Amino acid sequence: MAENRIIHDEELREQEEAIAKIRSMNDKYTAETGRKRKYFILTTGCQMNSHDSEKLSSMLTDMGYEHTDVESEADFILYNTCCVRENAEEKIYGRLGYLKYYKEKNRDIKIALCGCMMQQETVLDKIKKTFKNVDIVFGTFNIYKLPTLMLTNMETGETVFDIWQEHGEIMEDFRSIRKIPFKASVNIMYGCNNFCSYCIVPYVRGRERSRQPEDIIKEIKELAAEGVKEVMLLGQNVNSYGKTLEKPVTFAELLRQINEIEGIERIRFMTSHPKDLSDELIAAMRDCDKVCNYLHLPVQSGSSAVLERMNRRYTKEKYLDLVAKIKKEIPDILISTDIIVGFPGETEEDFQETLDVVDKVGYSTAFTFLYSKRTGTPAAVMEDQIDEKTAKERFNRLLEHVNAGVERISETMVGTVENVLVEEINRQDKNMLTGRTERNSLVHFEGGEELIGQVVPVKITQNKIFYLIGERM
Ligand code: SAH
Ligand code: SF4
Ligand code: F3S
């Protein structure tokens, strides 16, 4: 499949028809048994995958399925997979092994697999050989086809594989079902062109392509009309948004337009690649009152030599200069990051540079990962792969530095008043509410259910390092 696939109206109509057919089968089942068929989705991976799962949930709901969090009572089980690290894949194989026995007991259930893992030949081979009980397998470029794939499987009884190697046109008008009604994710772009040498994402998500700004604005206006207050703009590298559009638009311009949308109170985005973060974007973040003073800025390593081998295209100094520039324009900003430990050839000195960046920047959160070798990426064949013991030992030392920084930052918040968007009743204590500050810190405070979905001022009284305790003002 060399050329790009184009999704025609015809194909979309086919999906609608398949949805209607499955819905009538499910309605008939409900009329006969008094029970609705249920679906269960397991999502591993990043927010892109979670958002795809929200779209898949919406399709399954249209087909007449009811959602369940209990896998054992589901009629349709879908795993939306990630392959960024090996342990994410192992987890899926483990669960599939378990499902084998489970399906033998209950022949009526259907098992479907999708997501990034399925874009790899080796994975497909393993599924074909070892997990013959799987009914439907599709990839990251054709999630909209779920209804017809389900129908084909029901009609033929055969396993359906549909994996594209190329992406089609960007699909618009996808509905999605959100867990939190007033917070929504919005894709602004798909794919990635950066080819960091350790990373599999460009191979499984395809080349970078941006949605038209008008489509994004339209979607966010509709979300605002539904009561959404906070949007998370998603892309693997949002700072290069719009560059490939016929009429190029910058990410900063897009933010300024979204900032004008009535009803939206908070705008977040991820992920920002340091090499593409422009002065124009910093100015837009500073000027736009709805854009949160929070930035996820993955550093990956503090060593310029390692960064070069990672193909990140910035140095330690450039990264630190960038952070200084951002802090100067937006003094109260909080920054989070991703760090990989044990990249091939990483020496103790290289690792010390990473600790130095952590100490200097002071991250409010850091997602830390042990390097995981991904077949097909340039780093997988680099010499000097680091042994597990050394990597783990460094990882633990890194955590100590990260946690010390997090504690320092949390401490500065005690005594301040933060605006908290209340998300839910606290899971441990029914009298408490849980929400997030503009700068993404987790806060628990006493209050009633009626505050869910509202932004309320909360005085921070205690620092618990990874969360804060407060009192409503
Ligand atoms: N596009 C985003 C990140 C997407 S993947 C960015 O560039 O920042 C999320 C994180 O997973 C990465 O930031 C990186 O820290 C981590 N990661 C990616 N590949 C990895 C690998 N092979 N081993 C360990 N961690 C990895
Ligand atoms: Fe992976 Fe790098 Fe692209 Fe992020 S920017 S998805 S780390 S290749
Ligand atoms: Fe994983 Fe795919 Fe996201 S590999 S990190 S789910 S883009």
Side-chain angles (χ1 to χ4, degrees), residues 82 107 111 148 181 201 302 314 336 463:
C82 170
R107 295 202 155 270
I111 300 172
T148 45
V201 171
Y314 53 84
S336 61
N463 162 23

Side-chain angles (χ1 to χ4, degrees), residues 88-254:
E89 295 196 340
E90 293 304 326
K91 184 173 163 188
I92 295 295
Y93 288 134
R95 292 187 69 139
L96 277 177
Y98 174 72
L99 277 189
K100 233 177 172 175
Y101 300 104
Y102 175 54
K103 193 165 176 181
E104 272 162 19
K105 272 198 247 146
N106 181 1
R107 295 202 155 270
D108 275 347
I109 64 166
K110 295 281 182 193
I111 300 172
L113 302 174
C114 68
C116 297
M117 217 175 136
M118 303 305 136
Q119 291 293 141
Q120 304 169 96
E121 282 300 329
T122 49
V123 172
L124 295 179
D125 289 346
K126 182 158 176 171
I127 290 167
K128 281 177 192 161
K129 247 191 247 139
T130 321
F131 302 103
K132 296 200 169 72
N133 278 336
V134 170
D135 298 283
I136 301 163
V137 183
F138 55 106
T140 56
F141 301 127
N142 56 345
I143 61 167
Y144 80 98
K145 281 190 72 180
L146 175 67
T148 45
L149 300 179
M150 285 172 71
L151 198 61
T152 309
N153 170 262
M154 286 172 191
E155 286 169 358
T156 63
E158 311 253 319
T159 306
V160 179
F161 285 87
D162 193 12
I163 315 288
W164 298 1
Q165 293 310 321
E166 301 280 335
H167 50 79
E169 275 187 346
I170 291 176
M171 275 277 292
E172 292 299 339
D173 296 327
F174 247 138
R175 287 181 299 272
S176 60
I177 289 185
R178 299 180 295 277
K179 283 216 177 89
I180 300 179
F182 43 87
K183 272 175 85 163
S185 298
V186 175
N187 291 114
I188 63 166
M189 62 202 298
Y190 300 92
C192 180
N193 285 353
N194 286 312
F195 290 95
C196 301
S197 64
Y198 50 82
C199 183
I200 195 137
V201 171
Y203 305 88
V204 294
R205 286 272 172 181
R207 292 296 62 72
E208 195 172 286
R209 51 222 185 270
S210 298
R211 285 176 73 197
Q212 295 291 343
E214 349 19 305
D215 291 331
I216 297 169
I217 301 291
K218 178 170 164 262
E219 180 176 340
I220 298 176
K221 280 187 177 161
E222 284 167 5
L223 290 169
E226 286 172 23
V228 167
K229 292 188 172 160
E230 180 176 312
V231 285
M232 168 67 91
L233 311 175
L234 294 179
Q236 293 297 353
N237 179 13
V238 292
N239 298 338
S240 69
Y241 168 78
K243 286 183 182 160
T244 52
L245 289 174
E246 232 165 73
K247 271 199 285 171
V249 181
T250 64
F251 180 52
E253 284 163 354
L254 181 73

Side-chain angles (χ1 to χ4, degrees), residues 22 26 29 35-42 53 56-57 59-61 63-80 99 102-103 106-114 134-138 143 145-151 153-154:
I22 297 172
N26 281 338
Y29 173 84
R35 170 185 181 272
K36 258 191 129 175
R37 284 207 168 105
K38 295 183 178 174
Y39 77 89
F40 169 90
I41 302 189
L42 169 78
S53 289
L56 292 158
S57 295
M59 287 183 237
L60 286 161
T61 306
M63 286 182 249
Y65 290 90
E66 194 176 81
H67 171 259
T68 175
D69 276 329
V70 185
E71 190 168 9
S72 60
E73 64 176 39
D75 304 271
F76 187 81
I77 295 172
L78 174 63
Y79 290 172
N80 187 5
L99 277 189
Y102 175 54
K103 193 165 176 181
N106 181 1
R107 295 202 155 270
D108 275 347
I109 64 166
K110 295 281 182 193
I111 300 172
L113 302 174
C114 68
V134 170
D135 298 283
I136 301 163
V137 183
F138 55 106
I143 61 167
K145 281 190 72 180
L146 175 67
T148 45
L149 300 179
M150 285 172 71
L151 198 61
N153 170 262
M154 286 172 191

Side-chain angles (χ1 to χ4, degrees), residues 46 48 82-86 191-192 194 196-201 235-238 270-274 296-300 310 312 314 337-341 343 367-374 377 379:
C46 64
M48 296 275 172
C82 170
C83 56
V84 80
R85 284 169 292 275
E86 195 180 354
C192 180
N194 286 312
C196 301
S197 64
Y198 50 82
C199 183
I200 195 137
V201 171
Q236 293 297 353
N237 179 13
V238 292
M270 72 187 299
T271 298
S272 264
H273 194 306
H296 185 59
L297 193 65
V299 66
Q300 312 298 2
M310 286 179 163
R312 289 291 287 181
Y314 53 84
T337 203
D338 291 349
I339 301 170
I340 298 176
V341 176
F343 184 80
F367 300 92
T368 48
F369 307 108
L370 281 173
Y371 167 72
S372 170
K373 192 170 166 177
R374 304 285 63 210
T377 63

Side-chain angles (χ1 to χ4, degrees), residues 261-275:
I261 299 176
E262 218 171 295
I264 297 298
E265 295 182 26
R266 286 179 172 182
I267 305 166
R268 301 187 189 279
F269 54 85
M270 72 187 299
T271 298
S272 264
H273 194 306
K275 81 174 161 61

